[in-house]
Amino acid sequence: MLEERIDYEIHYPSDCERLMYEIAQSTHQHIGVTTLKRLFGFIGGTSTPRMSTLDILAGFLGYRNYNDLIRSLDPDNELEQKPILQLNAKDIGPDKRIRLFFNGHYLCVEHEEEMRFRVLQSTDAALRKGDCVQICSFRVGYPVYVRRLLRDGLPLKACVLAKVSGIERIETD
């Protein structure tokens, strides 16, 4: 599928460099040449690529994201929903909503940029709708460390959510 799109075969590591430039030019997103070499088996390393990498490749192929690409290959087979165990802010796309469940509380944030999120809903007293928070990652079983909190444009003290049991469940849109 990929080789049909680029109209040449990936036989050598240098082909990955060419592909990297074509992906960047087409999608305005970057996949490192080392990642591409790893995907095509020219070098060893992590065997499972990041979802963000798969989404960029799917976008290069004309799909909205990797899940849409998989659905197009077998539309009768619904994707198995795997629980999300960890999300790093740098891997979350723009305007993506993250829902967290912990200690009987619910928090919904929308990714704005880098590690900055806007609170859309919160049942935890520490955060209110409209707050702007800086969070590096979300991980099931661990607390949420709010590194920076702005309310109505004013900085407030950083806080920790889900101190006792950690995040119980993570969902995304």
Side-chain angles (χ1 to χ4, degrees):
M1 192 177 222
L2 185 61
E3 290 175 339
E4 289 171 6
R5 162 75 165 83
I6 58 178
D7 206 27
Y8 59 89
E9 293 181 5
I10 305 290
H11 287 295
Y12 306 102
S14 59
D15 295 330
C16 293
E17 292 178 28
R18 182 176 170 191
L19 177 59
M20 176 188 69
Y21 290 116
E22 288 185 34
I23 290 170
Q25 193 169 23
S26 174
T27 67
H28 304 290
Q29 294 180 303
H30 176 74
I31 296 178
V33 69
T34 304
T35 298
L36 291 171
K37 288 177 183 178
R38 195 173 294 120
L39 283 171
F40 285 96
F42 293 114
I43 60 174
T46 305
S47 60
T48 305
R50 291 183 179 180
M51 186 56 76
S52 59
T53 299
L54 296 174
D55 283 342
I56 292 170
L57 286 171
F60 181 66
L61 292 171
Y63 294 90
R64 192 170 55 103
N65 57 40
Y66 180 70
N67 288 340
D68 283 354
L69 169 64
I70 296 302
R71 280 188 200 99
S72 76
L73 297 173
D74 187 4
D76 296 329
N77 183 14
E78 282 299 313
L79 289 175
E80 180 183 321
Q81 277 288 46
K82 294 183 180 177
I84 299 169
L85 300 178
Q86 181 174 347
L87 288 173
N88 293 317
K90 65 181 179 180
D91 298 328
I92 300 171
D95 302 325
K96 187 92 164 178
R97 290 183 181 193
I98 312 297
R99 292 179 302 283
L100 306 174
F101 301 86
F102 55 93
N103 304 338
H105 291 285
Y106 169 75
L107 174 66
C108 180
V109 295
E110 184 173 62
H111 187 241
E112 291 187 335
E113 63 183 39
E114 294 184 21
M115 295 182 288
R116 196 172 79 198
F117 297 85
R118 176 79 50 196
V119 176
L120 300 177
Q121 289 181 301
S122 177
T123 62
D124 188 287
L127 299 179
R128 295 184 194 156
K129 181 178 179 179
D131 286 350
C132 184
V133 295
Q134 183 182 33
I135 301 171
C136 295
S137 65
F138 307 93
R139 189 171 179 190
V140 170
Y142 288 82
V144 179
Y145 297 99
V146 178
R147 298 176 65 181
R148 196 180 246 174
L149 169 58
L150 292 175
R151 182 170 293 149
D152 300 322
L154 299 173
L156 299 178
K157 186 178 176 183
C159 64
V160 180
L161 308 175
K163 291 180 193 176
V164 178
S165 64
I167 298 171
E168 295 163 8
R169 189 171 84 236
I170 302 171
E171 295 178 356
T172 62
D173 287 346

